[in-house]
């Protein structure tokens, strides 16, 4: 996650803590409120763990499967005789 995403996550967890605190003042020590408080605590712990570990790709692409895409324009002869699907094609000789 980017730094702004992590800041937003921590801000949101803080807001959840405030909401659960408000619920606790309304409902007291109800089991549902305790579970919510536990869930918010776990979210805070997981967010802190993410802060301490570097991000990595969820599904890394092996080097052998990577395809280099050139920056320059394509050779127009590659598309000679090809139709644009749904557009009706280009006028060309067959």
């Amino acid at each position: 996650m980017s730094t702004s995403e992590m800041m937003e996550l921590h801000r949101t967890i803080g807001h959840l803590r405030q909401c659960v605190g408000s619920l606790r003042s309304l409902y007291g020590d109800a089991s549902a409120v305790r579970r919510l408080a536990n869930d918010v605590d776990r979210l805070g712990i997981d967010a802190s763990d993410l802060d301490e570990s570097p991000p990595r790709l969820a599904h890394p692409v092996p080097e052998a499967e990577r395809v280099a895409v050139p920056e320059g324009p394509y050779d127009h002869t590659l598309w000679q005789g090809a139709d644009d699907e749904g557009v009706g094609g280009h006028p060309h000789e067959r």
Side-chain angles (χ1 to χ4, degrees):
M1 278 190 217
S2 72
T3 303
S4 62
E5 289 170 325
M6 289 305 296
M7 287 172 40
E8 178 67 18
L9 179 62
H10 286 292
R11 186 193 67 74
T12 303
I13 292 170
H15 185 74
L16 281 171
R17 278 196 178 98
Q18 290 175 348
C19 291
V20 171
S22 296
L23 290 172
R24 181 169 279 138
S25 66
L26 289 172
Y27 292 96
D29 196 32
S31 61
V33 174
R34 286 195 314 267
R35 285 194 304 269
L36 285 171
N38 185 39
D39 290 343
V40 172
D41 289 341
R42 291 179 60 205
L43 285 171
I45 291 168
D46 290 342
S48 296
D49 287 349
L50 284 176
D51 276 338
E52 295 171 5
S53 65
R56 62 173 195 249
L57 291 174
H59 302 286
V61 178
E63 190 70 35
E65 293 181 20
R66 293 183 186 172
V67 177
V69 178
E71 294 289 330
Y74 286 105
D75 180 5
H76 294 288
T77 60
L78 291 173
W79 308 109
Q80 190 171 358
D83 287 338
D84 289 334
E85 284 189 36
V87 179
H90 298 284
H92 53 40
E93 296 181 22
R94 292 185 185 230

